Structures are given as structure tokens and as C-alpha cells.
Amino acid sequence: MNTNSLRTGQSVRFKYGSRFVRGVIKENRGPIGMKGRVLYLVEFRPEDQSPDMSHIELPADQLKEVEGTVPVK
């Protein structure tokens, strides 16, 4: 995943436990990961029917863009 292609407000999917979930990038946290990896703050619902939102920080290589979404600038 090219880190330049990820934008705030963009929908992504990632592996959460044994399944894939969908989330929205809330913030580019910068190069604060191991060996300077750029991390992204992602907001998501841990369960499909959950009313609560959760947050996780992930590097770009663990995020896959959801096609058909337009990033919010």
C-alpha cells in the first residue's frame, strides 16, 4: 500500500482478529511506528451491529483501500 494514497476520511478494510472489518481513516499519525513506519488512526465498529466505535493505529501495509469511496479532505 502506497502511504501517499491514504487520506483522512477514506474507507479502508483491515484484518481484526480472524476477520476483516471496514473502517475510516481519521488521522495520519506520522512516522511514529517501528523503524519510522507511518501509522494511521482508524475508526471502526468491532462488531457489525455494535453502536460503539473503536479506534486502532495501523501501518499502511495492513490497510486496503475500499474501492468506490472518496476521501474527505
Side-chain angles (χ1 to χ4, degrees):
M1 170 66 54
N2 180 355
T3 60
N4 293 331
S5 67
L6 298 174
R7 302 280 185 253
T8 301
Q10 187 168 12
S11 292
V12 292
R13 47 181 288 229
F14 59 94
K15 190 154 185 155
Y16 185 70
S18 62
R19 62 192 177 85
F20 282 90
V21 295
R22 189 172 177 167
V24 176
I25 295 177
K26 289 296 181 178
E27 183 180 352
N28 178 335
R29 304 281 286 151
I32 62 174
M34 185 168 49
K35 296 183 180 180
R37 288 192 306 181
V38 174
L39 297 181
Y40 292 89
L41 180 65
V42 180
E43 183 178 67
F44 69 104
R45 291 190 196 286
E47 299 293 331
D48 289 338
Q49 303 302 321
S50 176
D52 300 321
M53 300 299 280
S54 294
H55 294 86
I56 191 169
E57 286 183 347
L58 294 169
D61 63 354
Q62 293 183 22
L63 299 172
K64 182 168 178 82
E65 294 178 63
V66 175
E67 291 187 29
T69 61
V70 179
V72 176
K73 297 198 181 210

